[in-house]
Amino acid sequence: MMPETNTPALPDDVTQCHALILHMATTLDTLTATLRQQEREKARLLHRVQQLLEQIYGRRSEKIDPAQLLLFVEQALATAAQVQAEPEPERGETIPSKKGHGRQKPPAELPRLPIEHPVPDSDKVCAHCGKDKKRIGQDVSEQLEYAPASFFVIEHIRPKYACPCCQEGVTVAFKPAQPIEKGLPGPGLLAHVAVSKYCDHLPLYRQESILARHGVHLSRKTLWGWMWAEAVLLEPVAEAARMRVLQSKVIHTDDTPVTVQARGGGTYTGRFWVYVGDAQNPYVTYDYTPSRKRDGPVEFLREFTGTPESPRYLQADAFGGYDGIYAAGNGVLEVACMAHCRRKFHDARKTDVNRAHQMLAWIQQLYAIERHAKDLAATARHALRREKSKPILDTIKAWLDAHRTQVLPKSPIGEAFQYAFNQWAALNRYLDDGELSIDNNVAERNLRGIAIGRKNWMTLGSDRGGRAAAILYTLIQSAKRHDLDPFVYLRDLLLRIPTHPNKDIHILLPDQWKTHLLPEATAPFKL
């Protein structure tokens, strides 16, 4: 006896069988397509999760094992070897020696405190003949030491004179103008607090506790009031730097978010923007906006214009807020960042090994050429790029065209392809002028201090705090660009600015100050 089954009876009619088979085939195709879509979505989400995990726990470096790249650069090895080969020095040319790795001596300009260690009397007698030994010299070794910073109070004594007969005509000695009129802080203290926060990333609440350890009790609210007054006082110098940056042929720009406390509670995201001038206008300026709307950079760069014969260049990432500047017809051309393009393919290397590493290998070649061109004049650098870099970029473009239809648009490698296509003209623009850079790393480096500081002070108290920070960051980073001590620079500005004429404000810019005013600058007090 056959067991009973729940299998439905199949039709005997051939037409019905064909219809059933067709329906099953259609259902199978639909399920297969759905499964493939779910697999793609799963891979995309896993890629996003991996990116987030790497951002939180992983290394920030984008270095790739050279052995992996060698698999994709057979045709490029000869070019890379030719680019990286160092030219032999001409007769009479000296090769700079590499810095040693031994212990460095303390700076010669530091004060010395000699401490002489006596020889025991028993060791001053010769063990052989019993006569007294004579001093024939000394051994000197140096030890770098630290004494805690000290605070002191300056008493401004102003003698008074009056007529002893009529008690009229009282005369009082003149008191020099102060950064904060009738305020407690001296210029050195104001400079110290500003540099500690905006250069050394010490939030005001930490400075409050540090000051208390020295017996100086100042609230962070008081310190913030000083920073705002200092920023207002020095704003004309920062504005002069901004006007000079706008005269640059090339400006590098980027932005970074910052959390801002809202009135009445809660927070919102503001933005710091950096604008780096070229070699003829060597300043780093910052701007703050309460949002990332395009009117921020548009307003800042309103006077940054060129002509078709003499264009200006703005190098930035692919943020759409800059598109209006490029499309305005004011002679500003877009220069994209190859490092951003590289990052897209680096992020896709685990989902499409072959294509991602092929692109990374070509980009590595482009950077090898840039290392060789770094010390060349702009005209020679332009010629080298046209000879060496352009053929590689042409090869990349042909490869992108050939593989574009073979990648899924929403996959990591597809997004990398799309980024390269959208930015291709701007990615190639650095070939047009030797003064342009292959990437926008200089702007990112000048935002790194804000990123580090943000981890310490966490939030801005208000938009006013953002504007004050932008002014002080401008002066500190511009001073560092000229290898100046930010404290010495700010302190001297605070001494001069109350009586400095507006028409000569450019003399206070870091490079001008270094040339004309640094030799006569008053040294900080030392007790």
Side-chain angles (χ1 to χ4, degrees):
M1 185 175 182
M2 297 292 293
E4 295 183 3
T5 64
N6 294 326
T7 304
L10 297 175
D12 296 330
D13 184 69
V14 174
T15 303
Q16 291 181 349
C17 286
H18 287 175
L20 180 60
I21 293 171
L22 182 62
H23 172 71
M24 294 178 64
T26 304
T27 302
L28 181 61
D29 290 342
T30 301
L31 292 175
T32 302
T34 301
L35 183 60
R36 288 175 178 170
Q37 177 62 30
Q38 290 177 343
E39 287 294 328
R40 288 195 295 267
E41 183 67 15
K42 177 183 175 182
R44 188 179 69 84
L45 293 175
L46 286 175
H47 175 67
R48 292 287 186 263
V49 170
Q50 185 64 31
Q51 283 183 308
L52 292 173
L53 290 175
E54 287 183 357
Q55 288 179 6
I56 298 173
Y57 303 110
R59 296 174 57 190
R60 296 296 189 270
S61 173
E62 296 178 6
K63 291 183 179 179
I64 300 293
D65 184 354
Q68 289 180 297
L69 294 182
L70 287 176
L71 300 174
F72 303 91
V73 290
E74 297 178 2
Q75 74 281 16
L77 289 178
T79 304
Q82 183 181 0
V83 168
Q84 293 179 346
E86 293 292 336
E88 293 186 4
E90 298 178 0
R91 183 174 299 177
E93 180 183 358
T94 58
I95 302 175
S97 58
K98 295 184 178 179
K99 294 183 178 179
H101 298 283
R103 184 173 65 181
Q104 295 183 356
K105 292 184 177 181
E109 63 271 15
L110 290 181
R112 261 60 179 174
L113 177 64
I115 300 177
E116 185 166 317
H117 304 281
V119 176
D121 292 339
S122 59
D123 291 340
K124 294 180 180 179
V125 178
C126 180
H128 298 285
C129 65
K131 292 183 178 181
D132 291 338
K133 296 180 180 179
K134 292 184 178 181
R135 182 166 180 166
I136 59 173
Q138 61 187 20
D139 290 335
V140 179
S141 60
E142 293 184 328
Q143 180 183 39
L144 190 62
E145 180 59 299
Y146 168 79
S150 60
F151 290 85
F152 56 93
V153 177
I154 297 177
E155 293 182 346
H156 293 279
I157 301 172
R158 302 160 63 199
K160 291 184 178 182
Y161 289 84
C163 178
C165 299
C166 58
Q167 303 294 322
E168 295 294 335
V170 177
T171 302
V172 183
F174 173 75
K175 180 182 177 181
Q178 301 299 311
I180 300 178
E181 195 60 35
K182 297 182 180 180
L184 178 65
L189 181 56
L190 287 173
H192 170 71
V193 175
V195 171
S196 294
K197 178 172 183 180
Y198 300 108
C199 183
D200 300 331
H201 323 300
L202 275 176
L204 295 181
Y205 76 89
R206 291 187 192 168
Q207 294 194 54
E208 180 183 10
S209 63
I210 293 171
L211 291 169
R213 290 203 301 268
H214 291 277
V216 180
H217 298 280
L218 296 168
S219 69
R220 68 195 74 173
K221 184 177 180 181
T222 298
L223 297 176
W224 153 240
W226 292 354
M227 291 302 95
W228 172 249
E230 183 176 353
V232 171
L233 190 63
L234 297 178
E235 186 174 13
V237 186
E239 178 62 17
R242 185 184 79 90
M243 296 304 296
R244 282 290 302 275
V245 166
L246 293 178
Q247 297 175 27
S248 299
K249 178 180 179 179
V250 186
I251 291 181
H252 293 260
T253 182
D254 202 357
D255 67 283
T256 190
V258 60
T259 303
V260 188
Q261 297 177 10
R263 289 185 178 180
T267 61
Y268 59 92
T269 301
R271 288 275 165 174
F272 278 115
W273 307 77
V274 65
Y275 301 90
V276 183
D278 59 17
Q280 286 68 46
N281 302 277
Y283 311 105
V284 183
T285 60
Y286 294 82
D287 189 29
Y288 167 82
T289 58
S291 68
R292 207 192 183 199
K293 292 181 180 178
R294 65 180 60 194
D295 53 354
V298 168
E299 179 61 29
F300 191 95
L301 297 169
R302 186 175 301 280
E303 299 176 47
F304 182 62
T305 59
T307 63
E309 297 77 20
S310 180
R312 303 288 186 89
Y313 299 94
L314 182 64
Q315 186 149 19
D317 58 21
F319 171 51
Y322 301 118
D323 292 345
I325 298 174
Y326 307 134
N330 56 3
V332 178
L333 299 180
E334 178 184 9
V335 186
C337 176
M338 189 64 73
H340 277 75
C341 181
R342 182 189 187 281
R343 198 167 299 150
K344 297 288 184 182
F345 285 91
H346 179 271
D347 291 342
R349 71 193 186 283
K350 294 182 180 178
T351 59
D352 195 319
V353 176
N354 290 344
R355 292 189 181 94
H357 282 83
Q358 176 66 79
M359 184 64 165
L360 292 174
W362 277 320
I363 294 177
Q364 186 181 64
Q365 284 182 261
L366 294 174
Y367 273 91
I369 296 170
E370 291 305 302
R371 286 191 294 273
H372 183 67
K374 180 177 61 175
D375 298 326
L376 300 178
T379 52
R381 188 181 304 118
H382 175 254
L384 179 66
R385 287 171 175 173
R386 301 298 296 185
E387 178 188 357
K388 305 287 187 184
S389 301
K390 190 178 185 304
I392 298 174
L393 288 164
D394 291 342
T395 301
I396 294 174
K397 183 62 167 64
W399 177 79
L400 290 171
D401 289 334
H403 288 257
R404 187 176 188 180
T405 58
Q406 302 175 18
V407 298
L408 297 172
K410 296 298 183 181
S411 65
I413 194 66
E415 292 177 353
F417 266 68
Q418 191 61 44
Y419 182 92
F421 272 107
N422 293 343
Q423 297 290 302
W424 189 250
L427 285 170
N428 281 257
R429 186 147 286 132
Y430 82 102
L431 299 177
D432 297 343
D433 194 307
E435 295 184 38
L436 299 177
S437 301
I438 190 174
D439 57 39
N440 197 36
N441 287 350
V442 64
E444 292 192 7
R445 285 195 299 271
N446 280 285
L447 282 178
R448 193 171 298 158
I450 294 179
I452 296 173
R454 185 175 56 206
K455 295 179 181 179
N456 290 276
W457 37 259
M458 304 297 288
T459 64
L460 291 175
S462 64
D463 290 337
R464 193 168 70 154
R467 290 192 292 272
I471 292 170
L472 295 173
Y473 274 126
T474 293
L475 298 175
I476 289 172
Q477 289 299 117
S478 293
K480 290 171 65 177
R481 182 170 178 176
H482 293 278
D483 298 321
L484 293 173
D485 182 341
F487 169 78
V488 174
Y489 175 62
L490 284 186
R491 178 184 176 275
D492 192 68
L493 288 192
L494 291 168
L495 282 169
R496 296 177 185 274
I497 196 74
T499 58
H500 193 82
N502 259 345
K503 64 182 181 65
D504 294 330
I505 204 71
H506 63 281
I507 297 295
L508 300 182
L509 291 172
D511 55 336
Q512 300 292 318
W513 180 88
K514 185 176 183 179
T515 301
H516 302 292
L517 300 179
L518 177 58
E520 63 183 54
T522 304
F525 291 102
K526 290 184 179 180
L527 295 182

